[in-house]
Amino acid sequence: MRTRHTGAATLAALTALTLAACGGGGEVGGGGEETGGAEGGGDSIKIGIKFDQPGLGYQDAGEYTGFDVDVATYVAGELGFEPDQIEWVEAPSANRETMLQTGQVDMIFATYSITDERKEQVAFAGPYFVAGQDLLVAEDNTDITGPEALEGKNLCSVTGSTSAQRIKDEYAEGVQLVERPGYAECVTALTAGQVDAVTTDDIILAGLAAQPANAGKVKVVGAPFSEENYGVGLPQDNDRCEDINAAITKMIEDESWDEFVTSNTEGTGYEPNADLNPPTPDACA
């Protein structure tokens, strides 16, 4: 249930209690301006997302859309923050750990896979989604049904990504790798016939396919061959993990999770891996 705190006296009391619980240092959840702990009620909460992933985290003319945005808004609501109390912050992949460690954000929802290596630097709640590496192909392509079918084909991924190289190393040694600066450029190359497929996580591909410019032109193959657990990135000294996991569980139980997936991938034919989704959040460390 969402909790609102109104009135200066209530807000002042809540702030005082929170500061006392933190030893008076005023550093709640790794930084940011909010002061309400798990109950919210502070000025704002800073949430890191991607700004350039259609269908997941996308910023356009001051509007923020996508599955990660919807999930983050829901979770923040359960923590007591209204949508207008959320400050969205761009969280590029390479900067996510630093942003959490230095208090630039309070939490991150940005296709952030939970790994043991990352757990040495930050904490995670969730997962709230389990993605898998997949392929995006032309709508009328019936030949490419999985990574093994890419032998001799042209495969696009973004510069610096390891996903395309993984296919070359493990599935199709003769695949020709093509790099582009972003996935949007890869999709442009695909629709122009310059490449045969694009690879990254399946829900990222579905978000790209759902864009109006790509509608009816491309499709997700639907044969994921990896497992990526998307978690909520948190500072290691946070006290929110259990509350976030409770919010994720509620989101799944009241079917909001299904609505968020559907609304952000509509028209692409994409279905999350039913053996892995919806996920069950892990116990907090």
Side-chain angles (χ1 to χ4, degrees), residues 218-232:
V218 295
K219 65 181 179 182
V220 181
V221 168
F225 46 95
S226 73
E227 188 174 321
E228 305 292 337
N229 290 273
Y230 289 172
V232 183

Side-chain angles (χ1 to χ4, degrees), residues 42-201:
D43 293 335
S44 67
I45 185 168
K46 295 181 180 180
I47 300 180
I49 58 170
K50 295 292 181 67
F51 278 15
D52 59 353
Q53 286 185 343
L56 282 154
Y58 192 66
Q59 188 267 351
D60 182 34
E63 296 292 326
Y64 302 90
T65 59
F67 177 71
D68 280 349
V69 174
D70 290 340
V71 172
T73 302
Y74 184 102
V75 170
E78 292 301 308
L79 296 178
F81 294 93
E82 298 296 328
D84 63 1
Q85 292 178 291
I86 299 173
E87 181 180 343
W88 301 109
V89 181
E90 185 172 17
S93 295
N95 300 347
R96 291 177 296 199
E97 287 79 24
T98 300
M99 293 177 74
L100 288 167
Q101 292 167 342
T102 58
Q104 296 175 57
V105 293
D106 298 297
M107 57 187 69
I108 289 179
F109 296 74
T111 59
Y112 201 3
S113 295
I114 302 171
T115 68
D116 289 338
E117 181 180 5
R118 287 172 176 159
K119 284 182 178 179
E120 295 178 0
Q121 302 182 67
V122 299
F124 286 98
Y128 61 89
F129 190 84
V130 183
Q133 186 176 343
D134 210 327
L135 302 170
L136 190 73
V137 299
E139 176 63 35
D140 59 357
N141 188 309
T142 58
D143 296 329
I144 299 177
T145 57
E148 299 88 350
L150 290 169
E151 193 71 35
K153 305 290 187 181
N154 294 322
L155 174 66
C156 190
S157 191
V158 300
T159 303
S161 170
T162 60
S163 55
Q165 187 62 47
R166 179 185 182 195
I167 290 177
K168 187 175 183 68
D169 293 341
E170 300 180 18
Y171 297 97
E173 184 178 353
V175 67
Q176 303 299 312
L177 303 185
V178 177
E179 291 188 339
R180 292 289 185 271
Y183 288 112
E185 289 85 353
C186 275
V187 177
T188 298
L190 177 62
T191 56
Q194 298 169 355
V195 299
D196 300 290
V198 181
T199 190
T200 187
D201 293 352

Side-chain angles (χ1 to χ4, degrees), residues 271-278:
E271 293 287 343
N273 187 326
D275 293 330
L276 303 173
N277 286 293

